Every structure is written in C-alpha cells, then in structure tokens.
Amino acid sequence: ELTKLKSTYVDTLPKLCDSSGRVHTTYNQTVAATGRLSSQDPNLQNIPIRTDLGREIRAAFVAPHGKQLVSADYSQIELRLVAALSGDQTMVGIFKNGGDIHRATAAKVFGVSEEDVTKKQRRAAKAVNFGIIYGMGPRALARNIEVSFAEAKTFIEKYFETFPGVREYLDEILVRARQDGFAASHFGRRRYLPDLNSGVQMVRAAAERMAKNMPLQGTASDIMKMAMIEVDVWLREQDFGDEVRLLLQVHDELVLEVANDRVEEVAKNIKRIMESVATFNAPLTVEVESGKNWKAMKPVDL
C-alpha cells in the first residue's frame, strides 16, 4: 500500500503542478461505456478515500487563502434509481421515509426489528444492495461477507422476496436487452451488448451483468451531467467571478472552490439544483461538505 501511494500520488502529483500549484486533469466524454466522465493525466477521480493512509493524500488538495473546498455528493444514487426504475413499493417507501436502506434491508431479510440489526447484518445487507446492481451471485457474496455459499444463496433469495419489484425489473432489463441488442439509461443513452448472445457462458454472463448495470449507472451519469450544466448556468447568472469555481466531478460528486463568506449560500443552492434536476418517486438527496482541504471535509449546516 505504501509503495503504491508513494509512486502513484506522492512522487507524481507534485511534478504535475503548474506554476500556481494547481493540478489539471483531462476529462474524457467517450471512454466509459456507461456515459460517466473519466479522468486522466492525472486521474483525480481515483484519489484514495477508503483507508486512513490513502485519505492522507487528500490533505494535499488545499483551497487557496480565503476559500474552502465544497463537495456535493449524490447519496446512494444508484440504489435510489433501483427503487425508482423498478417501482418496488417497499424500497421506494424506505427512501421516501428517509430510512437507512441497509439497516431496513437487513431488518426485513433477517426478520428482526431495525433496532436489533447487528453491524454484521447491516454489512451483509449493504453488500447485497450494491452487489445486486452489478449482478453479484451467491459465490461472490459469500466471499464478500464471509459466509457459506448456501447462506449467501438463501440471503439473495430472501432479498428478492423482500423486494420482488427489483427482481422483475432486472429480469425485464435482460429480456429487453436481448431483444434490442442494447441496454439504455432512463434518458435514452444506449450501450450495445452483442455478447448477450455469445455461445461462451462466461462472456455471456459478463454481458448480462453490464446489461443490468447500464440503466442504473447510465442514468446516474446522465443526472450528474445535467446537474453540472444547471450548476454552471446558476454560477454564471450569479456572476461570482473568482469567488466560486467548479473544480472537479468525481463520479457522483461535484467539488467546488468557494470564498469563505459564500459557502452556506453556494452549498444551499448546489444542493437544491442537484436534487431537483430530475424527479423520481424515490427522491434524490445530496450531502454537502466543506473544508480547508479535501481530507478535512465536514457537513455544511444548512
């Protein structure tokens, strides 16, 4: 881990700074098949966040004097889209009531009250919630949450009993993708998948996973691009000049540089714009944080 952090970030990023100490990435519109933007030279969507050591790298990204970094992040957008696009009433209800989707899933699957859900049960539910989107099977789930194959299989079956609309939706995507030869996002972005009819089981299974994932990741990426356009329009209308600038897009998150006395105003409006750029029966929610550097981000009190 240390060697990778040193060679990828510590040794490399300082050499890529311009004379003012800024690092500039290049965004690609047409590399990721799902429509997400990708970042290169350097890849700033790849700055570590999961480990304590990795997060230290984020402390190197510092706002200039008199300014703060503000990040606005779509919370669990793909799970919300699963609920919205499948129309599963149970899942939609959890999001509408502002519940913790992983805790609620664990409670329903294990047949306990939400108060009695253990950390291990919530972790298992979280793995399934996200794994289902990517076509995770019982073998991968068993490895992920360290249970037997039989337990993982039972867990997935119970999951689909709890959210029958999700199973129907995923099955429907596959049928439609086989007929059309592509899977599409809610807004019409297509991903062609000729391998759905491959005679090689492994190749076909990979294409099936892509087909299930495309409507969710594709729709999430469409929403993010729509949000970026609306945020840009609002920033121009406000004529903030150098006081506010949009710096980065990192998957489901926008990062801005904002003058200290503008943080609350900007945070409130960015949240409003991002949450209202598309309307579904499961509401989109955005969490906004600010800080002097990218590691020291704390929720903005709105």
Side-chain angles (χ1 to χ4, degrees):
E1 185 188 7
L2 285 167
T3 307
K4 186 168 190 280
L5 289 174
K6 184 176 183 297
S7 62
T8 310
Y9 306 107
V10 179
D11 293 343
T12 310
L13 287 172
K15 293 176 187 165
L16 296 171
C17 287
D18 66 11
S19 56
S20 67
R22 287 184 183 270
V23 171
H24 301 270
T25 187
T26 298
Y27 280 109
N28 303 303
Q29 284 258 40
T30 54
V31 170
T34 55
R36 284 194 183 278
L37 294 181
S38 66
S39 161
Q40 70 181 69
D41 303 327
N43 180 355
L44 294 182
Q45 294 181 328
N46 205 24
I47 306 301
I49 194 167
R50 291 187 194 282
T51 65
D52 291 341
L53 268 175
R55 272 196 297 276
E56 291 299 321
I57 304 292
R58 294 191 160 226
F61 293 84
V62 182
H65 181 68
K67 293 185 179 174
Q68 290 186 46
L69 296 179
V70 171
S71 90
D73 188 5
Y74 279 113
S75 169
Q76 301 172 328
I77 187 168
E78 288 181 14
L79 283 182
R80 290 170 184 276
L81 290 173
V82 170
L85 299 181
S86 71
D88 185 276
Q89 290 307 305
T90 307
M91 196 178 270
V92 168
I94 294 167
F95 283 120
K96 272 190 171 168
N97 296 325
D100 173 343
I101 183 67
H102 305 312
R103 183 172 293 281
T105 299
K108 289 180 185 301
V109 171
F110 290 109
V112 297
S113 70
E114 287 196 29
E115 295 75 45
D116 294 334
V117 168
T118 65
K119 278 186 180 171
K120 191 180 177 188
Q121 287 172 333
R122 188 183 181 279
R123 194 168 72 84
K126 185 176 181 179
V128 176
N129 272 326
F130 285 115
I132 292 298
I133 301 170
Y134 298 100
M136 182 191 274
R139 189 162 278 108
L141 179 65
R143 250 195 334 266
N144 197 310
I145 60 174
E146 297 170 351
V147 296
S148 71
F149 177 81
E151 284 174 299
K153 196 164 179 287
T154 305
F155 196 103
I156 289 174
E157 282 164 10
K158 279 188 181 168
Y159 180 90
F160 282 129
E161 281 168 24
T162 305
F163 303 120
V166 175
R167 168 170 265 166
E168 282 171 31
Y169 170 68
L170 293 173
D171 289 346
E172 203 180 290
I173 287 173
L174 268 187
V175 171
R176 205 177 312 143
R178 280 208 179 88
Q179 285 170 354
D180 299 339
F182 63 81
S185 76
H186 179 71
F187 299 100
R189 172 183 289 279
R190 293 180 180 183
R191 180 176 189 176
Y192 286 88
L193 296 160
D195 287 342
L196 282 172
N197 299 312
S198 168
V200 182
Q201 198 273 330
M202 224 164 94
V203 172
R204 189 170 65 250
E208 287 173 355
R209 282 195 297 274
M210 290 174 201
K212 287 176 182 176
N213 181 239
M214 173 61 198
L216 304 165
Q217 259 208 26
T219 303
S221 75
D222 292 343
I223 289 169
M224 178 49 92
K225 287 179 181 172
M226 289 153 64
M228 289 172 79
I229 291 166
E230 290 301 319
V231 167
D232 181 62
V233 167
W234 181 75
L235 292 178
R236 288 169 192 268
E237 282 171 356
Q238 301 306 305
D239 200 18
F240 286 124
D242 272 351
E243 284 192 299
V244 185
R245 56 166 79 178
L246 182 55
L247 294 184
L248 282 179
Q249 186 256 52
V250 183
H251 306 308
D252 302 327
E253 173 188 7
L254 293 182
V255 181
L256 299 94
E257 180 181 287
V258 182
N260 287 339
D261 59 351
R262 296 277 195 188
V263 167
E264 197 176 317
E265 173 195 358
V266 169
K268 199 175 285 181
N269 280 284
I270 298 294
K271 180 177 167 70
R272 172 184 60 78
I273 292 164
M274 288 173 70
E275 287 181 347
S276 61
V277 77
T279 308
F280 297 98
N281 55 2
L284 298 177
T285 63
V286 170
E287 292 170 357
V288 190
E289 297 183 329
S290 70
K292 192 60 195 160
N293 65 58
W294 208 8
K295 182 196 171 198
M297 306 293 273
K298 296 280 187 293
V300 179
D301 194 14
L302 296 175

